[in-house]
Structure formats: structure tokens, C-alpha cells
Amino acid sequence: MTLLDGITSRLIDTDRLTVNILERAGDDAETTPDHTLVLIHGNVSSSLFWQELMQDLPAELRVIAIDLRGFGGTESLPVDATRGVRDFSDDVHATLTALGIETAHFVGWSMGGGVVMQYALDHPVLSLTLQAPVSPYGFGGTRRDGSRLTDDDAGCGGGGANPDFVQRLTDRDMSDDAPSSPRNVFRTTYVAPGYTSDHEDIWIESMNTTSTAEGNYPGDGVESPNWPGFGAGKIGVLNTMAPRYFDTSGIVDLAVKPPILWVHGTADAIVSDASFFDLNQLGVAGVIPGWPGEEVAPAQPMISQTRDVLDAYAAAGGEVTELTLEGVGHSPHLERPAEVRRAILALIGYIGKTVYPAPPTETIIISSSD
């Protein structure tokens, strides 16, 4: 039983593939775009992770959570990583087209943040909420300005996946008997210490929907003369975020700039300026031997990169609100749901908002009267 009360699922046939979506029972299919919210999950997850947020949003909204290809109940066609995340964003567009939705407000989590940024580069959107998003310059292998460290993106992509974790996803492992089990990966990296939920089994089931078929997660790798010995391949999920293929910093130049909400936690183990999912950071820490040093293989400053791009977006006339949550991990919508909900509702104009001057951490605090 993976669906919570009031949540329904159905398959949508598109001109690209068959897509699974979650909706709320009773939502009106005729709801206008300004009251329509589209939720896009991250890597090794599915739409199931959005259910608590869906339940808590006002009934006047139409809320749709989409499974990306190879996740949840959506068809697991191969992912062409040389297109960045465009296979995913094009699938989202095909799904919304089949539903008769021309535009909407978008929420993207982690890799899904990259997907909705790419979507905004290709199609009009009303707003973007980026929750713990992948850097606009991809995952790994770049300096703060987005320039690539090597021509083959050494240390990035599918070659860096833990084989035991991949096998456990294939086996749909629900145990907690090893550090690399999906349950322990969730507990130690998806959320900050101290988070508990009666729905943890659902979150692990969601992770286990990840397709590990060829062309899906994690993707291929190639040999590299550069440390740590492999570079990004051309197929599969992790390679979509390699910097040779992924760059959404072009949102700064959008002629029509949707308002952006950036939500992130200070205890995020996955997306940070010192991410332990970045192999260069593991080299810095001595976990992987032979690290060639800061000049050659610096850790990717993911948060700083995102802030730089969003600062440029604001300087170019866009509206950006940053919500930093102290002690929160990679899943703010699970860990601090009320604050995330209020921030989203303020962004889309459903409730009024007051934006206070940013404190030294550059966090913008949102308050509302609801």
C-alpha cells in the first residue's frame, strides 16, 4: 500500500512513452494554469515522495506528480545522456500536452530541479521551486564558475555508482543490513539525523522503483587518464548531469523570467559545497587515495554555484527567494513540510508573503498570515 489517503495514480499515454502520474482525488481537471502545480522528483526516487505535500496543499489547487522515465510506474526507456536531462524534460512536456496543460507552476527536487530548469529553458513556466537542486553546472567536475576540470569529466557520471547499491535496487531490497542498502542510504543521506516517518517503507519502495536496466540507472562510464580513472559515459541517469552535457545556467538569459524559490537545507549530504557524493570531495577527505590536489581536482562548490547563477538571474531582472533551513538534509519537504508548503504557496501567489532583509547567511525568511 504505497498510496496515501486521497492520492490516486494513473498511466498517461504520450507520443514519447507511457507515464505514471499521481493526482489528488477531487482535483478539477479544468483548473487554470495559475492554480496548477507540477511536482518532479529526484534521482533514485519517484512521485511517491511527494504524497504528504500533495495532501497538505489547498484543495483549490490542481497538483500533479510525474514519474520520470525509469522511475516509479513510468516506462523505463533508455536515457540519452548526451542530451543532458532533456529526455526527462521532454517527457514531462509530452505528459502535460497529453493532459491539455500548456503551462503551470513547477517544483523540482534534486535532479528534478535540473529537469524543471531545463523545462523552463524550452517552454514557458509560471514559477520554479528548486528544492535541493543539482547545480546549474551539473554534478561534479567543475570549478565555481562552471568551467570543466577535464575534457572527459573525470570522476563524473555512471562510473561512480556503488555496485552493491545498484544491485540492491535491482533486488528491491527493503533491509537495513548494510550501509549501501536503500534504507540506510535514505537514512544517512536523503534526510538529516533525527528524521523519522511512519511512511519510511513507502519512501524505500519509491527508491526501489528505480530501473537498473541498461540505459537507466546508473549509466555507463569510460576509462580516463585523469584521476580517479573514469569519465562520463553517454547513456543513463548519472551521465545526464555530467557537465559536458548539462548546463542550465542559461536561465539567466530568459527573456521572460519566472519567479524562483530556492529551498535547501544546511545539513544536505548530497548537494553542498562539500558533498560526499562528489568523488573529488572524497579525495579531499582521503576516502579515495591518490587525490591529485586542489588545483587539479577541487570539490565542486554546488551551493555557491547555484547562488551565483540565481544572483545573476536576479540582477538580470528575475525574482529569487531563498529559503535556507538550518539542520535540514536533502529532503526539506519531508523534514520541514509546513515551511516548504508556505514558501511554495507564497511564490505562486496563493498566500501573501513578507520578505525580510537577508541575514548574514543570505537566507531570506518567508512569513505569512496563514
Side-chain angles (χ1 to χ4, degrees):
M1 297 294 293
T2 56
L3 294 182
L4 301 182
D5 290 346
I7 306 298
T8 65
S9 67
R10 61 174 168 138
L11 296 176
I12 306 296
D13 290 325
T14 78
D15 59 4
R16 291 175 59 81
L17 77 173
T18 299
V19 175
N20 185 68
I21 66 171
L22 297 189
E23 299 171 290
R24 302 185 304 179
D27 277 7
D28 185 356
E30 301 302 318
T31 301
T32 56
D34 60 309
H35 279 67
T36 300
L37 195 64
V38 176
L39 310 175
I40 306 299
H41 65 82
N43 189 19
V44 190
S45 65
S46 76
S47 60
L48 293 174
F49 269 95
W50 291 118
Q51 293 182 88
E52 291 180 330
L53 178 63
M54 294 174 73
Q55 288 179 319
D56 290 343
L57 289 167
E60 292 82 2
L61 299 177
R62 184 183 185 189
V63 186
I64 300 166
I66 297 176
D67 282 337
L68 300 176
R69 69 167 60 192
F71 299 95
T74 292
E75 202 172 347
S76 58
L77 297 182
V79 178
D80 179 359
T82 67
R83 304 186 69 233
V85 293
R86 290 177 181 86
D87 272 359
F88 296 132
S89 61
D90 287 352
D91 292 346
V92 170
H93 184 255
T95 304
L96 297 181
T97 298
L99 292 170
I101 298 172
E102 294 183 0
T103 189
H105 299 280
F106 287 79
V107 180
W109 172 33
S110 194
M111 181 181 76
V115 174
V116 301
M117 283 190 280
Q118 182 62 55
Y119 193 98
L121 289 171
D122 298 332
H123 309 284
V125 305
L126 298 182
S127 73
L128 294 176
T129 295
L130 308 176
Q131 177 184 253
V134 60
S135 163
Y137 299 117
F139 201 96
T142 57
R143 301 175 184 86
R144 180 163 177 168
D145 64 0
S147 58
R148 293 164 58 203
L149 300 178
T150 65
D151 290 339
D152 58 2
D153 292 343
C156 301
N162 182 321
D164 189 64
F165 177 61
V166 175
Q167 185 60 54
R168 287 172 181 272
L169 291 176
T170 303
D171 296 340
R172 302 180 77 96
D173 176 25
M174 295 292 291
S175 75
D176 62 356
D177 63 0
S180 56
S181 72
R183 190 177 298 274
N184 279 328
V185 169
F186 171 80
R187 291 174 176 174
T188 58
T189 65
Y190 280 44
V191 293
Y195 170 84
T196 60
S197 171
D198 292 338
H199 303 310
E200 184 179 88
D201 282 352
I202 297 178
W203 312 150
I204 309 311
E205 289 277 10
S206 176
M207 294 172 69
N208 281 333
T209 67
T210 302
S211 172
T212 57
E214 184 176 2
N216 292 113
Y217 183 85
D220 62 338
V222 298
E223 290 187 6
S224 170
N226 302 302
W227 186 90
F230 72 89
K234 294 183 177 181
I235 60 171
V237 175
L238 293 184
N239 292 315
T240 66
M241 293 174 282
R244 70 189 301 182
Y245 309 130
F246 181 97
D247 184 345
T248 58
S249 63
I251 60 172
V252 170
D253 300 318
L254 286 174
V256 178
K257 293 180 171 60
I260 292 177
L261 168 66
W262 177 28
V263 180
H264 58 106
T266 63
D268 192 334
I270 297 176
V271 175
S272 77
D273 281 354
S275 168
F276 272 79
F277 282 70
D278 176 4
L279 268 66
N280 286 356
Q281 176 60 33
L282 295 181
V284 172
V287 176
I288 300 178
W291 181 60
E294 185 71 24
E295 289 298 315
V296 176
Q300 181 189 14
M302 303 175 189
I303 297 297
S304 298
Q305 288 177 333
T306 298
R307 180 169 288 113
D308 289 348
V309 170
L310 294 183
D311 282 350
Y313 187 88
E319 175 189 332
V320 177
T321 303
E322 180 181 355
L323 176 62
T324 303
L325 297 171
E326 188 69 30
V328 169
H330 192 59
S331 307
H333 70 294
L334 298 183
E335 299 171 70
R336 299 274 278 276
E339 289 163 89
V340 172
R341 176 181 60 84
R342 285 196 299 270
I344 293 172
L345 293 177
L347 179 76
I348 69 176
Y350 189 84
I351 60 175
K353 66 179 178 180
T354 303
V355 180
Y356 293 98
T361 59
E362 299 186 53
T363 303
I364 293 179
I365 303 171
I366 300 176
S367 69
S368 70
S369 58
D370 72 329

